[in-house]
Amino acid sequence: MLALTACGGGGETNVERGNREGILHYGNGSEPQGLDPHVVTGVPENHLIRALFEGLAVKNPHTLEPEPGVAESWNVSEDGRVVTFHLRADARWSNGDPVTAEQYVWSWRRALHPEMGNLYAYMLYPVKNAEAFATGKLADFGEVGVKALDPRTLEVTLTEPTPYFIQLMDHYSTFAVHPETILAHGEMTDRFTRWTRVDNIVSNGPFELAEWKLNRRIRMTKSETYWDKGRVRLNGVVFYPTENEVSEERMFRAGALHYTQSLPLNKIPIYQAREDSPYVQAAYLGTYFYLVNTERPPLDDVRVRKALSMAVDRETLSQTVMQGSVVPAYSITPPGTLGYEPPRVFDHDPEAARRLLAEAGYPNGEGWPAVELIYNTQEAHRKIAVAVQQMWKDVLNIEITIANQEWKVYLDSVSTMNFDIARRGWIGDYVDPNNFLDLYLSGGGNNNTGFANPVYDDLIQNRAPRAKSREERYRLFREAEAMLMEQMPIIPIYTYTSRHLIHLSVRGMPANLMDSLNLRYVWLDPHQGRTNEETK
Amino acid sequence: MERFIALRLLQAIPVILAVITVTFFLVRVAPGGPFDSEKAVIPEVKAALERQYRLDLPLLQQYTAYLGDLAQGDLGPSFKYPGRSVNELIAAGLPVTAELGLYALLVAVLIGGSAGIFASLKPNTAQDYLPMAAAMIGICMPTFLLGPLLVLVFGIHLEWLPVSGWGDIPGDKLLPSITLGAAYAAYIARLSRAGMLEVLNQDYIRTARAKGLPEWQVVVKHALRGGLIPVVAFLGPAFAGLLAGSFVVETIFQIPGLGRFYVQAAFNRDYTMILGTTVFLSTLIVLFNLASDILAAWLNPRLRHQFGSSR
């Protein structure tokens, strides 16, 4: 230990060596739960799995529109209910086997299998009878709407037309796995096998797993069997479990990382002030909001909920507490979700807020009962809660207590609706208003507010899916969202942003709404630095 | 002596069993479970998961099944990391944490011990006050402050040492070891000073001095052995504490040790991992306490005599 040789191996940092050798050093947030696409959930897992595997279609990192992956093309039937994927002839597993339609049928059976315990099984629910099979109501997988017409043709039948279905093909829960490899290490539905370990795993993506050191690093090398290997310009990627964002920023400063998963709020102004700043901030498909328990007085009165929402000065909150790093939100769906612009039915309006509260029977806050706002323990949540508490006090003259809860306790409180007001965030799984609006279906598992409206349900479940055009569909969604915001079971606060430090040598990594990483496009250019236009 | 060790080992069994039992039931009382997540879990999926992890059985049956597995050395599968067993996770983290703990202890003993002895030689002078004031600062300074400070100075400004990692780049073990060892060095400095002062006032030291022995011989040959007994007694629990308490340092320096798993397991409600690490660490603590008792007995002639006669 005390052998203090020349620091950092001759002074060359990871970034310098990486630029020379074409190796990207990537801060990935945390140690992944695992690498089995049908078992794990989470953002770090997503980055790793989508580097190792490839779906039928892949999101273009610039536009987020799906482009060919394992499938070289696909057709959607006239009524929107049958999707036929044509697999490319040169799609290969890392052991040289071809990727076939039968493997997709096998993999989707695994992903949906009731014994599997796949938390993301619902990603495939648009497929006919998939939900019945996953919940054990249907035993015969043959009745589920997925068929291999031949080794290179996969036909999928959907319950309803699902415009975002192709997008879901880039979600890892819909990926194919190599059946022989899985069965060589255990049962099909076994969660505890070793098939994803370095010497065992067989994958079909642009990179192959080379090393997996627990809590230390995961190293990948460029795949030689990948069909589009000519386009892959990186020779490898090293993923680091950078749990602590303060340490991660220090690693970046010391040249140990090309890319950080996040940036501490108080560091934002410092990096923004720099010329040729490595800081990249972009709108993110997620909303930060407060859930309101509409079953508890006084919050069961819509006028109270609106008063609370209108009293919040989101602009000030974003600029001060959040250092200008977020965008004020007035709806549940983030603006610009593939062309969707949510309706704006209310504003920051202290006068109207006071009037509404008086109408509800609490003029100038008189007679206001005890109400509590809960949030999961985290400094940023606390700061926002304190600011909002003060705004409610100043504008409405009411006292609301705030309390923090440890993460799992908080989850328990939210799911059992044991709260008055609760902090909540929602990150989209796919780019479509449906992903946000279907949360508030009557009795939905993520509703947690008591909001229930049959007209709203009808709009989301029946009328929007059958819309003839994207315009009509979005109009119906806007109608539904306006209804939701009129009832205000949630108080939107801000739209998330993604915040990264990206070394200027990293190219081909555009910022996008899903913070979606496609390593196939990335390269390192130490000589010609990135212009900031590139990441906008 | 053998009887003493055997007796202490036997006493350890009910202690560890109590730890297991209390931990097992306590983690179940905590609200929220391992499968709760931000997005609602479909009931059928949750049921399938609970079956896979035996959580569908009555609690008492789960408990006896766990004890049965434990008797065979199987700590069960991790909830948070499917496909990995708790044994595997501990085996991956332990060598790193143990190495870090050992170096930290080395730092603590070398720096703390010499500072304490040095201070005790001229009590109530600058030679005493200076190292003791430094020790006080060391005790008060939390590792989450000291670590980043050291990184800032030696890692970022001077660029002498790596800011993170363990065994990847030469020199990356230095800062974490110093950070973790500093607080213990401070304790050891105070303990060794107190121990030495007590011994230096004893009659046999006066005798040694009266014989005309040079001062360094008095200190090294006669005083040290007795004076360091409190330090030795402290080392066992200290090392166990270093193993269990390295979480902060492991997080600051991105070290792949056991501490991070231990703390995260509690947040994740990773039942088997919480139990596994707790059982493992409590066993270690019991063993280290025993080891330091034996060592202290060996150093202390009065106690040694006691064991000798009971043989």
Side-chain angles (χ1 to χ4, degrees):
Chain A
M1 167 193 85
L2 298 167
L4 216 176
T5 59
C7 151
E12 197 181 34
T13 64
N14 278 354
V15 167
E16 288 160 355
R17 199 173 57 253
N19 286 347
R20 203 159 44 74
E21 297 172 349
I23 309 283
L24 178 74
H25 292 271
Y26 185 91
N28 196 31
S30 65
E31 172 69 21
Q33 297 167 359
L35 294 174
D36 187 328
H38 303 149
V39 169
V40 304
T41 57
V43 173
E45 290 77 3
N46 178 37
H47 296 144
L48 292 161
I49 292 175
R50 286 174 61 256
L52 291 172
F53 294 84
E54 185 179 74
L56 287 165
V58 183
K59 282 190 288 291
N60 180 290
H62 295 272
T63 62
L64 292 182
E65 298 281 359
E67 60 183 25
V70 170
E72 59 189 0
S73 67
W74 52 84
N75 338 83
V76 183
S77 68
E78 196 71 12
D79 67 353
R81 285 197 169 84
V82 180
V83 184
T84 312
F85 292 99
H86 304 285
L87 276 59
R88 60 180 76 248
D90 52 353
R92 286 277 180 279
W93 292 100
S94 51
N95 66 354
D97 289 358
V99 181
T100 66
E102 287 93 347
Q103 289 165 348
Y104 270 93
V105 177
W106 192 89
S107 300
W108 287 12
R109 183 162 148 242
R110 180 175 191 258
L112 285 166
H113 203 286
E115 285 305 308
M116 193 69 208
N118 177 8
L119 291 168
Y120 266 129
Y122 66 82
M123 280 289 164
L124 285 167
Y125 279 10
V127 178
K128 193 179 154 209
N129 286 332
E131 184 168 2
F133 179 76
T135 52
K137 295 183 188 80
L138 174 76
D140 180 12
F141 190 73
E143 289 181 41
V144 177
V146 54
K147 302 257 175 315
L149 299 186
D150 64 58
R152 287 182 47 207
T153 313
L154 185 73
E155 187 189 81
V156 182
T157 311
L158 307 174
T159 316
E160 291 290 339
T162 313
Y164 53 87
F165 186 71
I166 307 294
Q167 265 195 57
L168 300 181
M169 297 303 101
D170 195 25
H171 192 279
Y172 51 85
S173 57
T174 71
F175 284 5
V177 289
H178 190 252
E180 289 77 16
T181 303
I182 304 229
L183 294 174
H185 294 94
E187 300 286 310
M188 180 179 90
T189 57
D190 218 335
R191 291 171 67 86
F192 309 122
T193 77
R194 298 173 63 89
W195 80 267
T196 55
R197 300 304 171 84
V198 173
D199 294 327
N200 304 340
I201 191 167
V202 171
S203 62
N204 70 331
F207 293 91
E208 281 180 43
L209 188 63
E211 182 187 30
W212 184 359
K213 284 202 147 178
L214 207 61
N215 253 351
R216 213 183 259 254
R217 65 178 164 270
I218 291 181
R219 198 161 56 78
M220 295 182 192
T221 50
K222 181 180 170 176
S223 166
E224 287 308 316
T225 55
Y226 179 57
W227 64 271
D228 200 14
K229 66 176 180 203
R231 181 187 268 179
V232 180
R233 291 168 76 175
L234 289 174
N235 290 320
V237 193
V238 188
F239 294 83
Y240 297 88
T242 47
E243 196 83 43
N244 180 309
E245 59 178 18
V246 179
S247 306
E248 189 185 38
E249 189 268 340
R250 275 200 300 268
M251 285 171 77
F252 182 85
R253 248 192 296 166
L257 295 175
H258 279 110
Y259 179 99
T260 69
Q261 206 49 236
S262 62
L263 181 67
L265 279 179
N266 60 358
K267 297 277 183 192
I268 293 175
I270 301 167
Y271 277 97
Q272 273 176 334
R274 272 172 53 177
E275 233 172 282
D276 288 330
S277 174
Y279 178 59
V280 178
Q281 175 180 314
Y284 187 45
L285 188 67
T287 308
Y288 186 104
F289 54 97
Y290 285 152
L291 287 171
V292 186
N293 188 339
T294 63
E295 291 171 2
R296 280 191 189 175
L299 303 167
D300 54 350
D301 187 330
V302 66
R303 292 171 295 192
V304 172
R305 300 199 291 270
K306 279 184 155 171
L308 291 176
S309 186
M310 287 174 164
V312 176
D313 182 358
R314 293 161 177 80
E315 298 290 340
T316 306
L317 204 63
S318 303
Q319 286 311 317
T320 56
V321 180
M322 298 305 288
Q323 308 271 5
S325 68
V326 296
V327 184
Y330 296 88
S331 57
I332 179 76
T333 311
T337 307
L338 278 188
Y340 175 81
E341 287 304 324
R344 181 151 171 179
V345 301
F346 73 97
D347 265 307
H348 170 228
D349 188 345
E351 269 313 308
R354 275 190 285 269
R355 202 171 53 241
L356 280 165
L357 196 71
E359 282 170 23
Y362 309 100
N364 193 29
E366 282 161 35
W368 180 256
V371 170
E372 188 180 63
L373 162 64
I374 62 164
Y375 59 93
N376 55 303
T377 312
Q378 207 191 77
E379 189 53 19
H381 300 331
R382 189 188 65 80
K383 284 184 180 162
I384 290 171
V386 168
V388 171
Q389 180 190 37
Q390 192 58 42
M391 288 171 187
W392 283 335
K393 171 84 184 144
D394 291 346
V395 175
L396 303 172
N397 194 29
I398 55 173
E399 290 291 345
I400 288 187
T401 51
I402 58 174
N404 67 316
Q405 294 187 345
E406 184 255 2
W407 177 240
K408 293 276 183 177
V409 179
Y410 153 85
L411 289 177
D412 191 59
S413 302
V414 168
S415 66
T416 56
M417 279 182 70
N418 180 22
F419 65 88
D420 299 322
I421 303 172
R423 175 260 146 194
R424 184 85 156 106
W426 187 264
I427 308 293
D429 291 316
Y430 52 92
V431 197
D432 194 281
N434 186 66
N435 194 206
F436 287 84
L437 296 176
D438 78 352
L439 300 177
Y440 296 98
L441 294 174
S442 308
N446 290 306
N447 183 321
N448 303 324
T449 61
F451 172 79
N453 186 324
V455 183
Y456 181 87
D457 296 352
D458 185 51
L459 274 168
I460 302 294
Q461 283 181 307
N462 301 318
R463 293 180 57 196
R466 294 189 187 132
K468 294 278 177 285
S469 65
R470 186 180 259 187
E471 287 70 37
E472 189 196 342
R473 190 160 167 269
Y474 281 3
R475 190 180 56 71
L476 293 165
F477 277 138
R478 264 193 294 276
E479 196 180 316
E481 185 155 12
M483 281 175 70
L484 184 72
M485 296 324 297
E486 278 298 333
Q487 286 300 311
M488 206 68 82
I490 57 144
I491 300 175
I493 304 287
Y494 69 75
T495 305
Y496 282 95
T497 47
S498 54
R499 300 191 285 268
H500 305 290
L501 295 174
I502 308 178
H503 194 268
L504 291 176
S505 59
V506 179
R507 311 289 301 276
M509 198 188 268
N512 58 53
L513 196 58
M514 287 204 82
D515 205 16
S516 169
L517 173 70
N518 191 334
L519 288 167
R520 186 161 57 137
Y521 289 87
V522 178
W523 80 97
L524 297 168
D525 185 349
H527 307 298
Q528 196 187 348
R530 183 181 72 231
T531 60
N532 277 334
E533 285 315 302
E534 220 176 293
T535 49
K536 291 247 163 71
Chain B
M1 196 69 176
E2 286 87 356
R3 240 191 88 183
F4 166 74
I5 296 173
L7 199 72
R8 286 289 302 267
L9 281 175
L10 275 177
Q11 282 170 347
I13 292 171
V15 171
I16 290 168
L17 203 65
V19 169
I20 296 170
T21 312
V22 170
T23 316
F24 185 91
F25 291 101
L26 217 56
V27 293
R28 300 310 177 90
V29 176
F35 306 123
D36 289 343
S37 75
E38 194 156 23
K39 300 189 173 176
V41 181
I42 297 160
E44 287 83 3
V45 170
K46 196 168 179 179
L49 287 170
E50 287 181 342
R51 265 197 307 281
Q52 292 220 15
Y53 287 93
R54 286 200 307 229
L55 292 186
D56 55 335
L57 300 177
L59 198 56
L60 214 60
Q61 213 173 323
Q62 289 179 40
Y63 174 69
T64 47
Y66 182 79
L67 287 184
D69 288 348
L70 190 64
Q72 296 163 36
D74 178 9
L75 297 169
S78 161
F79 284 75
K80 166 82 185 187
Y81 303 101
R84 297 209 182 254
S85 66
V86 174
N87 295 53
E88 188 185 357
L89 292 171
I90 291 180
L94 182 69
V96 174
T97 299
E99 198 187 349
L100 170 64
L102 202 69
Y103 292 154
L105 203 64
L106 213 67
V107 167
V109 171
L110 285 181
I111 298 178
S114 37
I117 295 165
F118 183 68
S120 70
L121 297 181
K122 292 237 171 77
N124 303 325
T125 64
Q127 183 179 332
D128 181 15
Y129 293 142
L130 227 63
M132 283 307 110
M136 209 59 217
I137 294 171
I139 289 174
C140 296
M141 179 113 83
T143 45
F144 62 78
L145 177 63
L146 182 62
L149 267 180
L150 290 176
V151 167
L152 213 62
V153 175
F154 295 101
I156 309 255
H157 286 305
L158 298 174
E159 294 188 13
W160 288 356
L161 291 167
V163 300
S164 67
W166 187 258
D168 295 327
I169 308 169
D172 62 3
K173 296 179 179 177
L174 201 58
L175 288 185
S177 306
I178 293 174
T179 308
L180 186 59
Y184 289 89
Y187 277 111
I188 287 178
R190 293 181 64 84
L191 277 175
S192 53
R193 174 183 176 272
M196 285 297 285
L197 278 182
E198 198 189 318
V199 171
L200 285 171
N201 286 328
Q202 301 270 329
D203 289 344
Y204 73 92
I205 298 293
R206 200 172 316 144
T207 314
R209 284 194 178 129
K211 279 198 301 186
L213 281 180
E215 185 64 18
W216 69 269
Q217 271 200 19
V218 174
V219 173
V220 175
K221 279 196 167 166
H222 297 271
L224 224 49
R225 187 158 176 168
L228 290 185
I229 287 175
V231 175
V232 171
F234 175 68
L235 286 185
F239 189 62
L242 284 168
L243 287 185
S246 57
F247 164 69
V248 176
V249 173
E250 288 180 14
T251 307
I252 294 171
F253 293 97
Q254 302 276 342
I255 297 170
L258 196 58
R260 273 164 83 184
F261 281 133
Y262 192 25
V263 174
Q264 282 162 13
F267 290 131
N268 294 328
R269 303 287 190 276
D270 192 338
Y271 293 151
T272 43
M273 190 70 195
I274 300 174
L275 269 168
T277 38
T278 308
V279 169
F280 181 76
L281 287 173
S282 56
T283 311
L284 275 189
I285 290 173
V286 168
L287 288 179
F288 282 124
N289 275 329
L290 178 61
S292 73
D293 282 357
I294 293 169
L295 203 61
W298 176 75
L299 279 175
N300 188 333
R302 274 171 297 191
L303 282 175
R304 199 168 16 167
H305 177 71
Q306 216 175 12
F307 292 130
S309 64
S310 71
R311 200 181 309 204

